[in-house]
Amino acid sequence: MIAVASMKLRILAACAALATLSAGQAFADDGITAKLAAPVGEKTRFIAGGAMFYCEGDTCVALTPTSRTFATATCKAIADRVGAVVAFSGRKALDDAKLADCNEKALAKAGASALAGK
């Protein structure tokens, strides 16, 4: 009797694991990507727009975005954290005007840093 219950629990756990992996693949198709003007120095992760972004090289990705992740405010948070964003996209992309707005603070910050270094 115990062996049967144990086997049922193992089967349920395997089904749950498979469902989680399948759901992860579905969400990956709906991810949000921020292409950076310059690569990050090391792998970085942070939360912006309610989603965890993973940055490596010149790309930051949120594989499981929320309904509020694809927004100019999220782009601004990324730019403030890791530098200017040259493209911000998911199912659609931010237009040039919204990208300029996204980068305004990051570019001002970079300009101030460059002036301070001279």
Side-chain angles (χ1 to χ4, degrees):
M1 181 86 157
I2 294 175
V4 172
S6 177
M7 180 62 90
K8 285 181 181 179
L9 284 175
R10 287 182 185 170
I11 290 171
L12 286 173
C15 289
L18 183 59
T20 301
L21 290 173
S22 298
Q25 287 298 324
F27 283 125
D29 294 338
D30 295 336
I32 304 291
T33 302
K35 197 72 160 165
L36 306 175
V40 292
E42 59 185 38
K43 290 181 183 179
T44 305
R45 66 181 181 161
F46 55 89
I47 296 173
M52 179 65 75
F53 278 85
Y54 298 91
C55 304
E56 186 174 1
D58 66 350
T59 305
C60 295
V61 177
L63 297 178
T64 54
T66 69
S67 60
R68 61 189 174 108
T69 305
F70 186 79
T72 305
T74 303
C75 184
K76 287 180 178 184
I78 294 166
D80 188 46
R81 181 74 182 240
V82 292
V85 176
V86 296
F88 188 73
S89 60
R91 290 184 179 190
K92 56 185 178 179
L94 284 186
D95 63 33
D96 291 340
K98 289 182 180 175
L99 271 176
D101 185 35
C102 164
N103 289 310
E104 188 174 330
K105 184 177 176 184
L107 293 175
K109 189 175 174 181
S113 295
L115 290 175
K118 288 186 177 184

